[in-house]
Amino acid sequence: MTETTRAAHSGLLEQLGVEIDPELLVLALTHRSWAYEQGGVPHNERLEFLGDSILGQAITIELYRRHPDSPEGELAKRRAGVVSTVALAEVARTIGLGQHIRLGRGEAASGGADKASILADTMEAVFGAAFLSAGHAAAAQLVLRLVGPLLDDPGRTGAALDPKTALQEVAAARGLGAPSYELSATGPDHARTFTAAVLIDGEAVASGTGTSKKVAEMAAALAAHELLTTAPGAPR
């Protein structure tokens, strides 16, 4: 089982750079929808609870060290942006986490592998598994290696915290029209997946998905914000 698990997740383990116990890794990647279909086997929510604490502590300490003159309110705002669902989901996508998550059939069919909430929760569970496998220092280093880069970009941190406002501000600064959103939904009522397209001057510039209209719009706004701030020649 150990070698099989390592082989199945070798790419992910290489991205993480931390030796994680195979059974804990599998648990971290097990969504409750999969566990329910398997008769109620353990899932990753306890590890998620642990990982959330590891994440928050590592980011808090790093912010305290990096910004010795910043007041509490500014530090709290920066931390909130970095540990937000949208920001963590973005980090998870950069390491291809979604393809490794064990999802129930319905959740998988509705695009669960790319839902911001599932990606963010699983990312936290992985941090928890890293803590139990390799210790506090290794887990904190993993957090800073993956999430730390967002601390270097205050504008992006703010965008992750409130992407719709951030997008509206950058659109106004560029003399563009106010962003608007078009929503669609798929899946049964109890497991809807929402897709939001953000339009600027009547043109769709980005899209995002989520388990709620709000999360989908936030994901779309963050993608559009990145496009406008990193690509000067982006569509108008």
Side-chain angles (χ1 to χ4, degrees), residues 88-106:
L88 286 179
E90 181 182 348
V91 170
R93 291 186 183 103
T94 65
I95 61 172
L97 185 62
Q99 63 184 298
H100 296 275
I101 302 174
R102 298 203 294 182
L103 297 166
R105 290 184 296 274

Side-chain angles (χ1 to χ4, degrees), residues 59-152:
I59 294 300
T60 297
I61 292 172
E62 184 68 10
L63 284 170
Y64 187 87
R65 289 173 173 169
R66 287 195 189 191
H67 305 282
D69 299 321
S70 294
E72 177 192 3
E74 176 63 24
L75 295 176
K77 181 178 179 180
R78 286 175 178 265
R79 180 179 60 191
V82 170
V83 304
S84 69
T85 295
V86 173
L88 286 179
E90 181 182 348
V91 170
R93 291 186 183 103
T94 65
I95 61 172
L97 185 62
Q99 63 184 298
H100 296 275
I101 302 174
R102 298 203 294 182
L103 297 166
R105 290 184 296 274
E107 193 65 71
S110 65
D114 195 50
K115 288 182 182 177
S117 58
I118 291 177
L119 287 170
D121 290 347
T122 306
M123 194 74 259
E124 290 180 336
V126 169
F127 293 147
F131 170 80
L132 293 178
S133 299
H136 182 272
Q141 288 172 6
L142 175 61
V143 167
L144 295 179
R145 186 165 66 252
L146 295 181
V147 184
L150 292 177
L151 296 174
D152 297 324

